[in-house]
C-alpha cells in the first residue's frame, strides 16, 4: 500500500514549520481513490471542573477510552475507525489552528490554564469534551508526563496536486520518530508529496504524529 502526502494548495509558504505538517494530504493507494489528511483542524473551570461538564469518566471500560486505546495501539484499528489520536496541548492547538475536524477530546484536572483555554475553544466549536480522572489519562498517555488532554481526530479528505514536482519517498523507514521528523522537514522544505511504501511505518502512529509536530 502507498500513502501519499501533499501540501494543500494554499497558505503553505507562510505557515510556521510546526503548522505545515497539519496541511498535508494523505492518500491510500491500491486504486481506492481514498484521500485523507494529516490536518490537525471551550467552558470555564469552576472549583476544579470545567463549567457545563457534569460527568466525570471514572471507568476504564468507557467506550471512548476503549477507542483511544485501540487507536493508539494498532494501525489496523486506525484504518478501520478512520481516526487517530493527537495528545498534548500543543498538538491539539495545532489541530484547532489547522481547522481539523474533531470527534471528541478528553482532559483531566491537571490541565494547565493554557489547556483549559483550549478546552473552551473546542467546546465553543461544538466539540464534545469530557473530563477523565488523572489516573485514567495517565493510563492512556503515550508520554512519560501527560499534559492532561488528548483528542480523537478523523481522517479528512483533501485534494492532491495533479502533477507534483517535489516529492519525498522515505523507503523502509520503520522508526516512527524518524518518519515524523522526515515529514516535518519535508513540509518545511516545500515538498509537495510524501509517498510511503508498504515497508514504511504508519504515518498516523502516535510517535510519528508527535515527531512531526
Amino acid at each position: 500500500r502507498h500513502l501519499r502526502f501533499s501540501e494543500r494548495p494554499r497558505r503553505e509558504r507562510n505557515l510556521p514549520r510546526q503548522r505545515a505538517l497539519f496541511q498535508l494530504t494523505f492518500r491510500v493507494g491500491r486504486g481506492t481513490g481514498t484521500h485523507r489528511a494529516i490536518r490537525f483542524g471551550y467552558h470555564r473551570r469552576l472549583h476544579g471542573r470545567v463549567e457545563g461538564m457534569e460527568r466525570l469518566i471514572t471507568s476504564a471500560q468507557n467506550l471512548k477510552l476503549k477507542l483511544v486505546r485501540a487507536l493508539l495501539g494498532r494501525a489496523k484499528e486506525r484504518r478501520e475507525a478512520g481516526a487517530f489520536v493527537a495528545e498534548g496541548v500543543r498538538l491539539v492547538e495545532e489541530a484547532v489552528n489547522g481547522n481539523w475536524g474533531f470527534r471528541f477530546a478528553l482532559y483531566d484536572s491537571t490541565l494547565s490554564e493554557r489547556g483549559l483555554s483550549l478546552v473552551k475553544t473546542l467546546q465553543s466549536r461544538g466539540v464534545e469534551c469530557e473530563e477523565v480522572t488523572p489516573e485514567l489519562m495517565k493510563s492512556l498517555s503515550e508520554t512519560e508526563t501527560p499534559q492532561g488532554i488528548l483528542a480523537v481526530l478523523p481522517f479528512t479528505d483533501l485534494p492532491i496536486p495533479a502533477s507534483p514536482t517535489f516529492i519525498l519517498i522515505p523507503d523502509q523507514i520503520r522508526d516512527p520518530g524518524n518518519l515524523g521528523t522526515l515529514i516535518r522537514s519535508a513540509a518545511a522544505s516545500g515538498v509537495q508529496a510524501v509517498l510511503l511504501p508498504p515497508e514504511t511505518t504508519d504515518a498516523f502512529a502516535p510517535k510519528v504524529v508527535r515527531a512531526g509536530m
Side-chain angles (χ1 to χ4, degrees), residues 49-89:
R49 301 293 297 279
V50 173
E51 181 182 12
M53 299 303 297
E54 302 294 338
R55 189 162 68 92
L56 174 68
I57 296 177
T58 59
S59 172
Q61 301 306 310
N62 178 274
L63 293 179
K64 287 186 174 66
L65 271 61
K66 286 185 175 182
L67 174 60
V68 170
R69 291 192 194 95
L71 296 178
L72 289 171
R74 299 177 61 190
K76 178 182 177 182
E77 301 289 349
R78 291 188 284 273
R79 289 194 297 270
E80 290 180 351
F84 64 103
V85 176
E87 181 185 352
V89 172

Side-chain angles (χ1 to χ4, degrees), residues 15-16 23 26 54 65 69 82 87 110 127 135 163-164 170 187 193 195:
L15 286 172
Q23 304 293 334
F26 165 79
E54 302 294 338
L65 271 61
R69 291 192 194 95
E87 181 185 352
T110 68
V127 177
E135 293 75 19
S163 301
L195 309 181

Side-chain angles (χ1 to χ4, degrees), residues 5-22:
F5 294 80
S6 63
E7 291 181 304
R8 297 181 70 187
R10 59 188 178 85
R11 295 197 304 271
E12 278 73 27
R13 293 184 178 180
N14 296 324
L15 286 172
R17 289 181 61 183
Q18 68 269 28
R19 291 188 60 186
L21 171 66
F22 304 105

Side-chain angles (χ1 to χ4, degrees), residues 173-182 201-202 205-209 211-212:
I173 303 298
R174 297 184 175 87
D175 182 271
N178 289 344
L179 179 59
T181 299
L182 284 171
T201 192
D202 177 29
K207 289 183 180 179
V208 178
V209 175

Side-chain angles (χ1 to χ4, degrees), residues 32-151:
T32 63
T34 302
H35 294 70
R36 296 174 182 170
I38 295 183
R39 201 184 48 159
F40 285 175
Y42 343 102
H43 290 126
R44 205 178 41 204
R45 179 174 290 264
L46 298 176
H47 305 296
R49 301 293 297 279
V50 173
E51 181 182 12
M53 299 303 297
E54 302 294 338
R55 189 162 68 92
L56 174 68
I57 296 177
T58 59
S59 172
Q61 301 306 310
N62 178 274
L63 293 179
K64 287 186 174 66
L65 271 61
K66 286 185 175 182
L67 174 60
V68 170
R69 291 192 194 95
L71 296 178
L72 289 171
R74 299 177 61 190
K76 178 182 177 182
E77 301 289 349
R78 291 188 284 273
R79 289 194 297 270
E80 290 180 351
F84 64 103
V85 176
E87 181 185 352
V89 172
R90 185 176 173 188
L91 265 179
V92 177
E93 281 179 340
E94 293 303 328
V96 171
N97 293 337
N99 293 317
W100 195 278
F102 282 73
R103 288 196 179 175
F104 61 85
L106 301 176
Y107 69 96
D108 68 25
S109 61
T110 68
L111 196 58
S112 65
E113 289 300 319
R114 175 180 170 186
L116 291 174
S117 294
L118 180 58
V119 171
K120 293 177 183 178
T121 296
L122 291 172
Q123 292 177 332
S124 71
R125 298 186 180 192
V127 177
E128 182 181 10
C129 300
E130 294 194 65
E131 185 176 358
V132 303
T133 65
E135 293 75 19
L136 286 177
M137 181 64 76
K138 187 174 182 179
S139 73
L140 295 173
S141 178
E142 287 279 315
T143 63
E144 293 183 4
T145 55
Q147 295 184 32
I149 189 170
L150 59 80

